[in-house]
Amino acid sequence: MPNLDENLVRETIRAYITHELIRDPDYDLTDDEGIITGGLMDSFALADFAVFVEQEFGVYIPDPDLTVEKMDTLNQMVARVMQG
Amino acid sequence: MMLSLTARAEYETLLDAAALREARPDAAAIIFVATDAEPVVVTGAAFQARTQAYAAGLQRAGVTAGDLVIIAHIQNLESIYAFWGALQMGAIPSMFPTLTEKLDPDVYMRNMNALVRRSHVRLIFTSDAFAPVMARTADCPVVGSSELAGLAEDAGVEGFRPHAPHPDDIAFLQHSSGTTGLQKGVALSHRAVLNQLASYARAIELRPDDVIVSWLPLYHDMGLIAGFIQPLVQGIPLVLMSPFDWVRHPALLLRAIHAYQGTLTWLPNFAYNHLARRVRQQDMADIRLDSMRMFINCSEPVRDDSHQLFLHRFADAGVREDMLAVSYAMAENTFAVTQTPSGRPPRRDVVSRRALAEDRIARPVKEDEAATVLVSCGPTIPNTQAKVVDEGGRDLPERRVGEIAIRSDCMLTGYYQRPDLNPFTPDGWYLTGDMGYLADGEVYIVGRKKDLIIHAGKNIYPQDIEAIVNEVAGVHPGRAVAFGAPDEREGTELIVVIAEVDTDAPDQRKAIAKAIRQAVARKSDITVGYVTLVGPKWLIKTSSGKIARAANREKWLRERASRIA
């Protein structure tokens, strides 16, 4: 498992979410806002996120961890990726 | 023994057709699979016992024959027992989307109560989590999971008093979503549902060794009929999962096909993209899909590129082109209107883009001409006819685009308790609102007559979204429009909202855009794909002063195309 830089992971995921999932690059996505519960993206996006994380960071997040409760904020996503 | 066209006369109602399942009491009727739990296998005998107990439980809760029962629960076995239980005691069940954490309960209940009052709902069945929330404002009794399970247990199978319906009694209702959809409950008789099942069995060459795998929501006609009523009546196994679970974990469907040797599944077009793009490589190790007979594309416009993407991605796992199939369906015909035959891929019609758009003719393409590929929906199923009519209701010849009209022996009786609405023309045709054409005996769909959005297989009325956006602070009331824009990546229409605002301040505009997304999600469970804020006078109005959706859609698509270019 390569060492991942947390800030890089955070900004990579933030850019991915605003560009690919919210489709609004100007959106100011904060670290702790509810992305799915706040209606910014639907739960389909969790599966998209899983593919992105596998390709980008080589991290496989098992299905039971891909839930709205566990992956609703940027902080939660970053923390999960950093676990490897 | 199955419910076929040949055997149709032997059955009068859905309840006596259940004998087909009872013939194999020890065989699996339903296998419920989930990401975080072991599969639950319900045998035919267990299903019968559970549903009779639920029927008795509903009777104890005060439900009598002819009462409307709304099941607004998560997709699980209890909601299925309650639906079938209601059917067995002669009540009229209707499946509904559940309240969720994300949705505003007040808005959800306002819609529900409008239905409760209009259609005289006797009882709402929901989860324990939402029962107290809903009971606070509901205009009828609300029963949670534990309460109904308790009543069912107390009553037991012996407490069940069977009901013998007439073939023309209403068996159940199908509702489409949103405030607009809730106003029209599609009422289906036992006779119509059995006619559909018999005809559809012929169309897909249903066999006793078929296995249906489905993630589809049961409040939708495709999920309710193809992925629930059909297998239960025909006595073939149903491998079922929750749509919530599947969208987050798309590989669940493929694992279920592999594990249970699935042969049939129904998918809206977006699901082909979702599966092809969002099942991870690691999830596909050891998964084989060779057992499949048909992946049936249904309930939103079929895109050839989605089929190709799917085929390319899963060819190694055993998916072949001849497994791809298409059905054109609607709740008003119980379910299927057409079906492509099994064993050959759907026809692709390559037509002139210009002739289609300008002359409304699907003319095969000439050399050096821009082309549009349309995928056939196949011929009509037995005992359903389709024709294409112009604005004046006159029949159109082959390859001329007009509105699709259908006539069959499996149509709705009417809209529930809406004698003011007559769904049929004087000679018994139902005008579908879909635009299309006929060619070589097959039906092709090219669009819709009205501004309906089909997002991920779900019908969405733009006026429902616009009403929400108009209430967002900062948006000029009455100066918002919603429409669908096709998206190649997702294989469906994404929802676009354009709203006129006065402010130029970037911070304020960002806050308004955010508020729009949140308001739509909280009040309708719909995720907006694009929010575009514009200045005053951007939106095009009709001569009568209404916002012109189609014209604004064209303008938005044009501006986006020029930005990308």
Side-chain angles (χ1 to χ4, degrees), chain A residues 6-9 15-16 25-26 40 44 48 50 54 62-63 71 79:
Chain A
E6 186 171 329
N7 272 331
L8 183 64
V9 168
Y16 154 77
D26 296 333
L40 294 176
F44 297 58
D48 202 86
E54 185 186 45
D63 280 351
M71 292 292 158

Side-chain angles (χ1 to χ4, degrees), chain B residues 54-55 57-73 78-96 112 115-116 119-126 140-143 148 170-175 224 416-417:
Chain B
Y54 268 72
L58 284 167
Q59 284 168 329
R60 286 215 168 180
V63 178
T64 56
D67 284 345
L68 179 57
V69 174
I70 297 293
I71 300 162
H73 207 303
E78 286 166 44
S79 58
I80 285 175
Y81 298 150
F83 185 97
W84 209 274
L87 206 58
Q88 285 191 310
M89 54 148 296
I92 302 172
S94 185
M95 289 286 193
F96 252 67
M112 182 70 92
L115 177 83
V116 168
S119 302
H120 308 102
V121 175
R122 182 67 188 83
L123 180 129
I124 299 170
F125 176 53
T126 186
C140 74
V142 176
V143 172
L148 187 57
I170 301 305
F172 50 80
L173 307 186
Q174 302 198 66
H175 284 90
L224 184 72
Y416 190 66
Q417 297 191 347

